[in-house]
Structures are given as C-alpha cells and as structure tokens.
Amino acid sequence: MEKDILEVERKHLSNVIKECDEKHLLEVEDKFKLTYTYDAVGMGENRIPYEDVKRLSQSKALLEYSEREQKEILNHLKAYEFVKNEAKSTKVFDEEKLKDIHEILVEGIFQGGCYRNVNINIFGAAHQPPDHIKVYDRMAKFFRNLEQFKGNPLEKATYAHASIAKIHPFVDANGRLAKLVLNYFLIKEDFLPISIPLESRETYIAKLEKFKIEKDLTPLTNFFKDLLIKRYEEVLKELDI
C-alpha cells in the first residue's frame, strides 16, 4: 500500500530538524509568520504589501498606513504567537480560548471576545451566517461536535475552521480567527501551520462554500492537505542541509 505523501514529508522533516541549526529554524518560522499574516489579513480589505508587513513587524509603526491597518497586522502577529503557545499546552480548546484569540486579533480596534448581537451578510456568498439569536446555540453545538469528532487530525482542524467561518460568531475578524483555529489544531497534532495564499482565495472560498451549503468537508480538507504538502516541501527545501 502506498504511503501517504503527507506522512512521508512529515517524518522526513522531523529527521531533518534534528540536524538543523536552531537559528536557521527560527528564520524559516519568522518568514512564515510574516507570509501568513500578509495572506490572512489581506483576505479582507487590508492590502498592506508583504515588504511593509515585514517593516511594520520590526518598527511597530508606519506612518503611511491607518492605525487600524497597522493594528490588524500587529495583532495578527501577536495572535499567531499566542495560538502557537496554546497549541503546545495540554489545555482544552474551549469557548474561552476562542474568545481570547479573537480579543487579541481586534485589540485596540473594537471590543473582542463577544458574540455578535446583529445580523451580518457576506457579499456575494451563497450561504449567509445564521441570525444573531442563533449564534450561542450554534457555537454550543460546535464545541460539542468538536469534542466528539471522529475524523483524523486534518479533518478535525478543517471542521473547526469551516464551522467558525460558517457561523461567523463575531462582528468582524471571523476569517482570520478561523484560520488561526485551523493552525491551532494542526500545530497541536505536530503538523506545520499553513497559510492560504491570496492567489488561491477564490478556490478556497468555493470549497468553503461547499461545506457551508452541502456540509461536504472533503473538498476543503483536500485543499488544506495540498497546502500542507506544499508547505512541507518548501520548508524541507529551505532547511536543506
């Protein structure tokens, strides 16, 4: 039986890391963190170029951008570090942790960690988020389902991501939150985190809509698996020793 290519790449990287310089590993991780923040924030209305995301991460302020644009970048960098640390702990992923991540994402922009009390519409989407009065019940069901989930780690990570994107529990930053939750579950199971490239936005949205409308998780899971394999290939190339 042919071995799963993702598992092969995963084991290969594990062996390479043992022989790799720690400084080199940190450089690869820092590069990913910037790329991931650029992609995740860029999915919305924030269009700060990658080089300026890098500059902002170092200087903490760029006068040519609005305060909100800068906070979205800096908050995302901070939220990603929080997610990495939390994923490596033994704590259970619960509602409090989800709200903590959201609070970090929107710190200094608006009050985070509070479920929306208004209805929202996603322009151009075939599926619209549930009425705000249903959010609490939908989120309670989500956490129950997550606890009882029977699939493999990638399927569980995809389910968590897609469910948050579908419910849209907060007024804003749901997309960034859902991507951070995806990576929380990947990191927790010793996978590399992934970023959804801006050029793959339409493909990603189409597969996410498939889940929202038909409850079919397979296309999105396969999409993420392909991104994971590509990420392992890229990291192995960068760490080539």
Side-chain angles (χ1 to χ4, degrees), residues 178-203:
K179 295 175 185 71
L180 284 164
V181 169
L182 168 72
N183 280 328
Y184 171 91
F185 282 100
L186 290 177
I187 294 168
K188 194 167 189 66
E189 295 295 333
D190 294 322
F191 286 95
L192 287 174
I194 57 174
S195 181
I196 302 169
L198 288 179
E199 59 266 27
S200 298
R201 185 177 185 275
E202 297 306 318
T203 301

PDB file of all heavy atoms in Angstrom, residues 178-203:
ATOM      1  N   ALA A 178     -10.819  31.998  12.115  1.00  0.00           N
ATOM      2  CA  ALA A 178     -10.988  30.623  11.629  1.00  0.00           C
ATOM      3  C   ALA A 178      -9.666  30.041  11.142  1.00  0.00           C
ATOM      4  O   ALA A 178      -9.377  28.853  11.350  1.00  0.00           O
ATOM      5  CB  ALA A 178     -12.028  30.589  10.515  1.00  0.00           C
ATOM      6  N   LYS A 179      -8.841  30.858  10.497  1.00  0.00           N
ATOM      7  CA  LYS A 179      -7.538  30.385  10.012  1.00  0.00           C
ATOM      8  C   LYS A 179      -6.586  30.107  11.174  1.00  0.00           C
ATOM      9  O   LYS A 179      -5.792  29.158  11.133  1.00  0.00           O
ATOM     10  CB  LYS A 179      -6.940  31.401   9.036  1.00  0.00           C
ATOM     11  CG  LYS A 179      -7.747  31.559   7.748  1.00  0.00           C
ATOM     12  CD  LYS A 179      -7.170  32.656   6.868  1.00  0.00           C
ATOM     13  CE  LYS A 179      -8.052  32.889   5.651  1.00  0.00           C
ATOM     14  NZ  LYS A 179      -9.346  33.545   5.968  1.00  0.00           N
ATOM     15  N   LEU A 180      -6.656  30.926  12.207  1.00  0.00           N
ATOM     16  CA  LEU A 180      -5.829  30.687  13.392  1.00  0.00           C
ATOM     17  C   LEU A 180      -6.259  29.410  14.111  1.00  0.00           C
ATOM     18  O   LEU A 180      -5.426  28.663  14.625  1.00  0.00           O
ATOM     19  CB  LEU A 180      -5.909  31.888  14.342  1.00  0.00           C
ATOM     20  CG  LEU A 180      -5.093  33.107  13.909  1.00  0.00           C
ATOM     21  CD1 LEU A 180      -5.539  34.359  14.667  1.00  0.00           C
ATOM     22  CD2 LEU A 180      -3.599  32.866  14.131  1.00  0.00           C
ATOM     23  N   VAL A 181      -7.555  29.159  14.142  1.00  0.00           N
ATOM     24  CA  VAL A 181      -8.061  27.933  14.776  1.00  0.00           C
ATOM     25  C   VAL A 181      -7.614  26.706  13.974  1.00  0.00           C
ATOM     26  O   VAL A 181      -7.230  25.683  14.540  1.00  0.00           O
ATOM     27  CB  VAL A 181      -9.596  27.981  14.906  1.00  0.00           C
ATOM     28  CG1 VAL A 181     -10.157  26.622  15.319  1.00  0.00           C
ATOM     29  CG2 VAL A 181     -10.008  29.049  15.925  1.00  0.00           C
ATOM     30  N   LEU A 182      -7.651  26.812  12.657  1.00  0.00           N
ATOM     31  CA  LEU A 182      -7.139  25.739  11.802  1.00  0.00           C
ATOM     32  C   LEU A 182      -5.708  25.405  12.198  1.00  0.00           C
ATOM     33  O   LEU A 182      -5.353  24.236  12.415  1.00  0.00           O
ATOM     34  CB  LEU A 182      -7.191  26.180  10.334  1.00  0.00           C
ATOM     35  CG  LEU A 182      -6.442  25.303   9.317  1.00  0.00           C
ATOM     36  CD1 LEU A 182      -7.161  23.984   9.105  1.00  0.00           C
ATOM     37  CD2 LEU A 182      -6.279  26.046   7.995  1.00  0.00           C
ATOM     38  N   ASN A 183      -4.876  26.434  12.326  1.00  0.00           N
ATOM     39  CA  ASN A 183      -3.471  26.211  12.650  1.00  0.00           C
ATOM     40  C   ASN A 183      -3.272  25.766  14.090  1.00  0.00           C
ATOM     41  O   ASN A 183      -2.322  25.031  14.391  1.00  0.00           O
ATOM     42  CB  ASN A 183      -2.655  27.459  12.328  1.00  0.00           C
ATOM     43  CG  ASN A 183      -2.332  27.561  10.853  1.00  0.00           C
ATOM     44  OD1 ASN A 183      -2.170  26.540  10.179  1.00  0.00           O
ATOM     45  ND2 ASN A 183      -2.251  28.771  10.328  1.00  0.00           N
ATOM     46  N   TYR A 184      -4.156  26.175  14.969  1.00  0.00           N
ATOM     47  CA  TYR A 184      -4.089  25.684  16.350  1.00  0.00           C
ATOM     48  C   TYR A 184      -4.157  24.156  16.357  1.00  0.00           C
ATOM     49  O   TYR A 184      -3.330  23.491  16.984  1.00  0.00           O
ATOM     50  CB  TYR A 184      -5.237  26.275  17.175  1.00  0.00           C
ATOM     51  CG  TYR A 184      -5.374  25.656  18.550  1.00  0.00           C
ATOM     52  CD1 TYR A 184      -4.720  26.202  19.639  1.00  0.00           C
ATOM     53  CD2 TYR A 184      -6.135  24.496  18.749  1.00  0.00           C
ATOM     54  CE1 TYR A 184      -4.818  25.617  20.899  1.00  0.00           C
ATOM     55  CE2 TYR A 184      -6.237  23.902  19.993  1.00  0.00           C
ATOM     56  CZ  TYR A 184      -5.579  24.475  21.070  1.00  0.00           C
ATOM     57  OH  TYR A 184      -5.673  23.876  22.299  1.00  0.00           O
ATOM     58  N   PHE A 185      -5.125  23.606  15.649  1.00  0.00           N
ATOM     59  CA  PHE A 185      -5.307  22.157  15.651  1.00  0.00           C
ATOM     60  C   PHE A 185      -4.213  21.434  14.869  1.00  0.00           C
ATOM     61  O   PHE A 185      -3.844  20.301  15.205  1.00  0.00           O
ATOM     62  CB  PHE A 185      -6.699  21.788  15.134  1.00  0.00           C
ATOM     63  CG  PHE A 185      -7.766  21.999  16.160  1.00  0.00           C
ATOM     64  CD1 PHE A 185      -8.571  23.130  16.131  1.00  0.00           C
ATOM     65  CD2 PHE A 185      -7.955  21.084  17.180  1.00  0.00           C
ATOM     66  CE1 PHE A 185      -9.541  23.340  17.095  1.00  0.00           C
ATOM     67  CE2 PHE A 185      -8.923  21.279  18.152  1.00  0.00           C
ATOM     68  CZ  PHE A 185      -9.717  22.411  18.118  1.00  0.00           C
ATOM     69  N   LEU A 186      -3.673  22.066  13.834  1.00  0.00           N
ATOM     70  CA  LEU A 186      -2.559  21.461  13.108  1.00  0.00           C
ATOM     71  C   LEU A 186      -1.311  21.400  13.991  1.00  0.00           C
ATOM     72  O   LEU A 186      -0.656  20.359  14.095  1.00  0.00           O
ATOM     73  CB  LEU A 186      -2.263  22.249  11.827  1.00  0.00           C
ATOM     74  CG  LEU A 186      -3.307  22.158  10.710  1.00  0.00           C
ATOM     75  CD1 LEU A 186      -2.913  23.051   9.539  1.00  0.00           C
ATOM     76  CD2 LEU A 186      -3.483  20.715  10.233  1.00  0.00           C
ATOM     77  N   ILE A 187      -0.994  22.517  14.624  1.00  0.00           N
ATOM     78  CA  ILE A 187       0.190  22.571  15.482  1.00  0.00           C
ATOM     79  C   ILE A 187       0.056  21.602  16.657  1.00  0.00           C
ATOM     80  O   ILE A 187       1.015  20.932  17.037  1.00  0.00           O
ATOM     81  CB  ILE A 187       0.422  24.009  15.991  1.00  0.00           C
ATOM     82  CG1 ILE A 187       0.775  24.938  14.825  1.00  0.00           C
ATOM     83  CG2 ILE A 187       1.552  24.040  17.031  1.00  0.00           C
ATOM     84  CD1 ILE A 187       0.743  26.414  15.173  1.00  0.00           C
ATOM     85  N   LYS A 188      -1.143  21.529  17.208  1.00  0.00           N
ATOM     86  CA  LYS A 188      -1.385  20.643  18.350  1.00  0.00           C
ATOM     87  C   LYS A 188      -1.093  19.186  18.002  1.00  0.00           C
ATOM     88  O   LYS A 188      -0.671  18.401  18.854  1.00  0.00           O
ATOM     89  CB  LYS A 188      -2.824  20.792  18.828  1.00  0.00           C
ATOM     90  CG  LYS A 188      -3.082  20.175  20.210  1.00  0.00           C
ATOM     91  CD  LYS A 188      -4.399  20.624  20.767  1.00  0.00           C
ATOM     92  CE  LYS A 188      -4.554  20.185  22.214  1.00  0.00           C
ATOM     93  NZ  LYS A 188      -3.592  20.837  23.131  1.00  0.00           N
ATOM     94  N   GLU A 189      -1.310  18.810  16.747  1.00  0.00           N
ATOM     95  CA  GLU A 189      -1.061  17.433  16.309  1.00  0.00           C
ATOM     96  C   GLU A 189       0.289  17.283  15.603  1.00  0.00           C
ATOM     97  O   GLU A 189       0.515  16.342  14.865  1.00  0.00           O
ATOM     98  CB  GLU A 189      -2.191  16.987  15.377  1.00  0.00           C
ATOM     99  CG  GLU A 189      -3.550  16.908  16.054  1.00  0.00           C
ATOM    100  CD  GLU A 189      -3.618  15.848  17.135  1.00  0.00           C
ATOM    101  OE1 GLU A 189      -2.852  14.853  17.045  1.00  0.00           O
ATOM    102  OE2 GLU A 189      -4.416  16.009  18.080  1.00  0.00           O
ATOM    103  N   ASP A 190       1.180  18.267  15.852  1.00  0.00           N
ATOM    104  CA  ASP A 190       2.558  18.223  15.323  1.00  0.00           C
ATOM    105  C   ASP A 190       2.649  18.333  13.810  1.00  0.00           C
ATOM    106  O   ASP A 190       3.565  17.787  13.187  1.00  0.00           O
ATOM    107  CB  ASP A 190       3.280  16.955  15.794  1.00  0.00           C
ATOM    108  CG  ASP A 190       3.511  16.948  17.299  1.00  0.00           C
ATOM    109  OD1 ASP A 190       3.810  18.029  17.848  1.00  0.00           O
ATOM    110  OD2 ASP A 190       3.380  15.886  17.918  1.00  0.00           O
ATOM    111  N   PHE A 191       1.698  19.039  13.208  1.00  0.00           N
ATOM    112  CA  PHE A 191       1.801  19.394  11.799  1.00  0.00           C
ATOM    113  C   PHE A 191       2.337  20.815  11.694  1.00  0.00           C
ATOM    114  O   PHE A 191       2.234  21.603  12.642  1.00  0.00           O
ATOM    115  CB  PHE A 191       0.434  19.336  11.116  1.00  0.00           C
ATOM    116  CG  PHE A 191      -0.080  17.949  10.856  1.00  0.00           C
ATOM    117  CD1 PHE A 191      -0.929  17.324  11.748  1.00  0.00           C
ATOM    118  CD2 PHE A 191       0.276  17.271   9.694  1.00  0.00           C
ATOM    119  CE1 PHE A 191      -1.414  16.044  11.512  1.00  0.00           C
ATOM    120  CE2 PHE A 191      -0.199  15.995   9.438  1.00  0.00           C
ATOM    121  CZ  PHE A 191      -1.046  15.380  10.347  1.00  0.00           C
ATOM    122  N   LEU A 192       2.871  21.154  10.543  1.00  0.00           N
ATOM    123  CA  LEU A 192       3.234  22.539  10.284  1.00  0.00           C
ATOM    124  C   LEU A 192       1.959  23.369  10.117  1.00  0.00           C
ATOM    125  O   LEU A 192       0.958  22.866   9.599  1.00  0.00           O
ATOM    126  CB  LEU A 192       4.059  22.646   8.998  1.00  0.00           C
ATOM    127  CG  LEU A 192       5.504  22.138   9.037  1.00  0.00           C
ATOM    128  CD1 LEU A 192       6.096  22.202   7.627  1.00  0.00           C
ATOM    129  CD2 LEU A 192       6.350  22.939  10.004  1.00  0.00           C
ATOM    130  N   PRO A 193       1.983  24.631  10.520  1.00  0.00           N
ATOM    131  CA  PRO A 193       0.853  25.514  10.209  1.00  0.00           C
ATOM    132  C   PRO A 193       0.896  25.885   8.733  1.00  0.00           C
ATOM    133  O   PRO A 193       1.943  25.783   8.088  1.00  0.00           O
ATOM    134  CB  PRO A 193       1.121  26.740  11.098  1.00  0.00           C
ATOM    135  CG  PRO A 193       2.609  26.754  11.252  1.00  0.00           C
ATOM    136  CD  PRO A 193       3.036  25.309  11.289  1.00  0.00           C
ATOM    137  N   ILE A 194      -0.231  26.293   8.191  1.00  0.00           N
ATOM    138  CA  ILE A 194      -0.294  26.650   6.775  1.00  0.00           C
ATOM    139  C   ILE A 194      -0.893  28.042   6.585  1.00  0.00           C
ATOM    140  O   ILE A 194      -1.590  28.555   7.458  1.00  0.00           O
ATOM    141  CB  ILE A 194      -1.113  25.636   5.953  1.00  0.00           C
ATOM    142  CG1 ILE A 194      -2.541  25.502   6.508  1.00  0.00           C
ATOM    143  CG2 ILE A 194      -0.398  24.299   5.884  1.00  0.00           C
ATOM    144  CD1 ILE A 194      -3.457  24.627   5.667  1.00  0.00           C
ATOM    145  N   SER A 195      -0.613  28.594   5.427  1.00  0.00           N
ATOM    146  CA  SER A 195      -1.197  29.873   5.024  1.00  0.00           C
ATOM    147  C   SER A 195      -1.953  29.661   3.714  1.00  0.00           C
ATOM    148  O   SER A 195      -1.519  28.882   2.863  1.00  0.00           O
ATOM    149  CB  SER A 195      -0.102  30.921   4.835  1.00  0.00           C
ATOM    150  OG  SER A 195      -0.651  32.164   4.468  1.00  0.00           O
ATOM    151  N   ILE A 196      -3.083  30.330   3.575  1.00  0.00           N
ATOM    152  CA  ILE A 196      -3.847  30.251   2.328  1.00  0.00           C
ATOM    153  C   ILE A 196      -3.413  31.428   1.450  1.00  0.00           C
ATOM    154  O   ILE A 196      -3.712  32.581   1.768  1.00  0.00           O
ATOM    155  CB  ILE A 196      -5.360  30.331   2.594  1.00  0.00           C
ATOM    156  CG1 ILE A 196      -5.780  29.204   3.551  1.00  0.00           C
ATOM    157  CG2 ILE A 196      -6.150  30.245   1.287  1.00  0.00           C
ATOM    158  CD1 ILE A 196      -7.190  29.352   4.093  1.00  0.00           C
ATOM    159  N   PRO A 197      -2.676  31.177   0.378  1.00  0.00           N
ATOM    160  CA  PRO A 197      -2.172  32.267  -0.463  1.00  0.00           C
ATOM    161  C   PRO A 197      -3.308  33.109  -1.042  1.00  0.00           C
ATOM    162  O   PRO A 197      -4.378  32.583  -1.378  1.00  0.00           O
ATOM    163  CB  PRO A 197      -1.416  31.537  -1.578  1.00  0.00           C
ATOM    164  CG  PRO A 197      -1.144  30.164  -1.045  1.00  0.00           C
ATOM    165  CD  PRO A 197      -2.307  29.850  -0.148  1.00  0.00           C
ATOM    166  N   LEU A 198      -3.062  34.390  -1.166  1.00  0.00           N
ATOM    167  CA  LEU A 198      -4.084  35.281  -1.710  1.00  0.00           C
ATOM    168  C   LEU A 198      -4.507  34.871  -3.117  1.00  0.00           C
ATOM    169  O   LEU A 198      -5.673  35.018  -3.490  1.00  0.00           O
ATOM    170  CB  LEU A 198      -3.573  36.723  -1.717  1.00  0.00           C
ATOM    171  CG  LEU A 198      -3.462  37.412  -0.345  1.00  0.00           C
ATOM    172  CD1 LEU A 198      -2.924  38.820  -0.509  1.00  0.00           C
ATOM    173  CD2 LEU A 198      -4.805  37.430   0.362  1.00  0.00           C
ATOM    174  N   GLU A 199      -3.570  34.316  -3.889  1.00  0.00           N
ATOM    175  CA  GLU A 199      -3.920  33.912  -5.257  1.00  0.00           C
ATOM    176  C   GLU A 199      -4.831  32.682  -5.283  1.00  0.00           C
ATOM    177  O   GLU A 199      -5.418  32.369  -6.317  1.00  0.00           O
ATOM    178  CB  GLU A 199      -2.653  33.652  -6.084  1.00  0.00           C
ATOM    179  CG  GLU A 199      -1.741  32.595  -5.535  1.00  0.00           C
ATOM    180  CD  GLU A 199      -0.632  33.156  -4.655  1.00  0.00           C
ATOM    181  OE1 GLU A 199      -0.820  34.232  -4.065  1.00  0.00           O
ATOM    182  OE2 GLU A 199       0.430  32.498  -4.577  1.00  0.00           O
ATOM    183  N   SER A 200      -4.962  32.004  -4.131  1.00  0.00           N
ATOM    184  CA  SER A 200      -5.857  30.841  -4.048  1.00  0.00           C
ATOM    185  C   SER A 200      -7.184  31.191  -3.377  1.00  0.00           C
ATOM    186  O   SER A 200      -7.969  30.296  -3.034  1.00  0.00           O
ATOM    187  CB  SER A 200      -5.173  29.715  -3.247  1.00  0.00           C
ATOM    188  OG  SER A 200      -3.994  29.293  -3.882  1.00  0.00           O
ATOM    189  N   ARG A 201      -7.428  32.472  -3.217  1.00  0.00           N
ATOM    190  CA  ARG A 201      -8.612  32.930  -2.490  1.00  0.00           C
ATOM    191  C   ARG A 201      -9.913  32.381  -3.066  1.00  0.00           C
ATOM    192  O   ARG A 201     -10.770  31.875  -2.336  1.00  0.00           O
ATOM    193  CB  ARG A 201      -8.651  34.464  -2.480  1.00  0.00           C
ATOM    194  CG  ARG A 201      -9.785  35.062  -1.651  1.00  0.00           C
ATOM    195  CD  ARG A 201      -9.690  36.593  -1.656  1.00  0.00           C
ATOM    196  NE  ARG A 201     -10.683  37.181  -0.771  1.00  0.00           N
ATOM    197  CZ  ARG A 201     -11.932  37.447  -1.098  1.00  0.00           C
ATOM    198  NH1 ARG A 201     -12.356  37.163  -2.331  1.00  0.00           N
ATOM    199  NH2 ARG A 201     -12.771  37.982  -0.232  1.00  0.00           N
ATOM    200  N   GLU A 202     -10.098  32.485  -4.379  1.00  0.00           N
ATOM    201  CA  GLU A 202     -11.346  32.050  -4.999  1.00  0.00           C
ATOM    202  C   GLU A 202     -11.549  30.540  -4.867  1.00  0.00           C
ATOM    203  O   GLU A 202     -12.662  30.070  -4.612  1.00  0.00           O
ATOM    204  CB  GLU A 202     -11.373  32.466  -6.480  1.00  0.00           C
ATOM    205  CG  GLU A 202     -11.343  33.976  -6.710  1.00  0.00           C
ATOM    206  CD  GLU A 202     -12.444  34.709  -5.965  1.00  0.00           C
ATOM    207  OE1 GLU A 202     -13.591  34.213  -5.952  1.00  0.00           O
ATOM    208  OE2 GLU A 202     -12.155  35.775  -5.392  1.00  0.00           O
ATOM    209  N   THR A 203     -10.478  29.786  -5.027  1.00  0.00           N
ATOM    210  CA  THR A 203     -10.555  28.326  -4.870  1.00  0.00           C
ATOM    211  C   THR A 203     -10.939  27.976  -3.443  1.00  0.00           C
ATOM    212  O   THR A 203     -11.807  27.115  -3.202  1.00  0.00           O
ATOM    213  CB  THR A 203      -9.197  27.680  -5.211  1.00  0.00           C
ATOM    214  OG1 THR A 203      -8.860  28.009  -6.559  1.00  0.00           O
ATOM    215  CG2 THR A 203      -9.261  26.168  -5.064  1.00  0.00           C
TER     216      THR A 203
END
